[in-house]
Amino acid sequence: MQQAPDRMKTVFGEFVLLVIVTTLAVAALSLWYFRSFGEAVMMPAVGFAVTVTAASALPYLAYLVFRVASLHADNDGLMRAAHTDRLTGVLNRQGFEKVFRNHLRSLVGHNDKGLMLLIIDADHFKRINDRLGHPVGDIALKKIAGTLKKLVRQSDAVGRLGGEEFVVSLPCGTAEQGEMVAERLRMAINRLYVGTGKNGAQLSVSIGGVFMRTPQPFDRIYEAADANLYRSKEGGRNRCTIASIAAQGRGRLRGMEAPATPQTAG
């Protein structure tokens, strides 16, 4: 599929070619029509006809530039909307997978690069919805998404796969670096609170992650990270479990357990 800049170049090229062909046609017709008037009349007449033809194309060219730029901006807006989760403003599944696959491709031929995929699931989210109501649950999701976006780099990617499940793609040099980011995200979210007083809840998340240095099938990466998320849930929630996987599929588990904190989310 042609990219927008390439399409714009094609449109402008076709327009310029049309102007050139039209101008040459007008010049030829003018020469034929004024040939009997002599050179003294013919040449100025031909020059005038060619100038008017070329000049008349300028307003159309300006309009074309405006319309193409406007359509390009509208197209970008539609693409962003198609790849954005409406509630939280982070990437949706389609948008995240597109960025994540680009991150995977960047690993090819670079042994010093690595990539971490984190699956982040809000703990006891159903209890928050049931006890405090869905509007408060939506606020919780927005706060989690906002915290994730704030604490990662612009080159990273944050997405929401659905419900209370988020994902983060972290290009990083080592598993330890990705693990530190995961723990920082967990701790920051654990400081969040929704509601007020007794009608409130402290937020926490469980995180499962997988680190790789070579591209892997997306389904396999997600399955490995999801298995680590399950281990975090089984281990008491509000913790991170990270695994490093090699090309042949062997892994090494590492867990980072959170200190005991009171769970007011229910």
Side-chain angles (χ1 to χ4, degrees):
M1 184 177 179
Q2 258 191 328
Q3 298 297 316
D6 294 332
R7 291 198 300 270
M8 292 176 66
K9 290 179 181 178
T10 300
V11 171
F12 289 140
E14 291 175 349
F15 180 81
V16 170
L17 180 61
L18 177 62
V19 172
I20 292 174
V21 171
T22 302
T23 302
L24 291 175
V26 169
L29 287 172
S30 299
L31 285 171
W32 176 81
Y33 183 80
F34 289 105
R35 71 186 188 283
S36 60
F37 291 85
E39 186 174 342
V41 174
M42 180 180 66
M43 296 310 295
V46 171
F48 177 77
V50 169
T51 301
V52 169
T53 302
S56 64
L58 294 178
Y60 293 102
L61 178 60
Y63 175 75
L64 180 63
V65 170
F66 170 77
R67 286 297 297 159
V68 170
S70 177
L71 290 172
H72 182 49
D74 290 344
N75 184 62
D76 285 346
L78 290 173
M79 288 295 292
R80 283 193 298 270
H83 290 162
T84 301
D85 178 65
R86 289 186 178 183
L87 177 64
T88 62
V90 299
L91 295 170
N92 59 19
R93 178 184 291 271
Q94 181 182 4
F96 179 82
E97 288 188 3
K98 180 179 179 181
V99 176
F100 184 69
R101 293 183 194 282
N102 288 336
H103 285 173
L104 281 175
R105 282 192 287 269
S106 70
L107 297 178
V108 178
H110 296 87
N111 295 329
D112 58 332
K113 289 186 176 182
L115 181 63
M116 176 82 77
L117 174 68
L118 301 176
I119 302 179
I120 302 170
D121 192 82
D123 295 329
H124 303 297
F125 186 71
K126 185 177 185 302
R127 295 184 188 178
I128 294 177
N129 275 335
D130 292 344
R131 187 164 67 88
L132 304 179
H134 288 277
V136 176
D138 288 346
I139 292 173
L141 294 176
K142 291 177 182 179
K143 284 191 172 186
I144 292 173
T147 300
L148 295 176
K149 289 177 65 176
K150 180 180 178 181
L151 293 182
V152 301
R153 302 162 300 183
Q154 190 173 2
S155 58
D156 302 329
V158 178
R160 179 184 175 215
L161 298 187
E164 65 271 27
E165 186 172 274
F166 295 86
V167 280
V168 177
S169 178
L170 297 168
C172 51
T174 65
E176 288 76 12
Q177 291 175 353
E179 196 169 11
M180 290 174 62
V181 173
E183 181 64 8
R184 186 165 69 245
L185 296 175
R186 183 199 65 77
M187 293 175 63
I189 292 171
N190 197 213
R191 290 192 289 267
L192 299 177
Y193 198 87
V194 291
T196 56
K198 294 182 179 179
N199 293 321
Q202 181 182 3
L203 300 182
S204 70
V205 293
S206 298
I207 300 177
V210 63
F211 175 82
M212 71 219 75
R213 290 198 180 276
T214 56
Q216 310 283 329
F218 178 77
D219 291 343
R220 177 178 170 234
I221 298 170
Y222 182 86
E223 182 180 352
D226 192 53
N228 291 332
L229 173 63
Y230 178 79
R231 293 184 178 96
S232 291
K233 293 284 189 182
E234 288 294 297
R237 293 182 169 84
N238 193 23
R239 58 177 287 160
C240 304
T241 304
I242 306 297
S244 298
I245 58 173
Q248 64 269 30
R250 296 178 180 176
R252 179 166 59 93
L253 281 178
R254 303 131 69 88
M256 295 184 68
E257 186 171 1
T261 55
Q263 295 292 323
T264 58

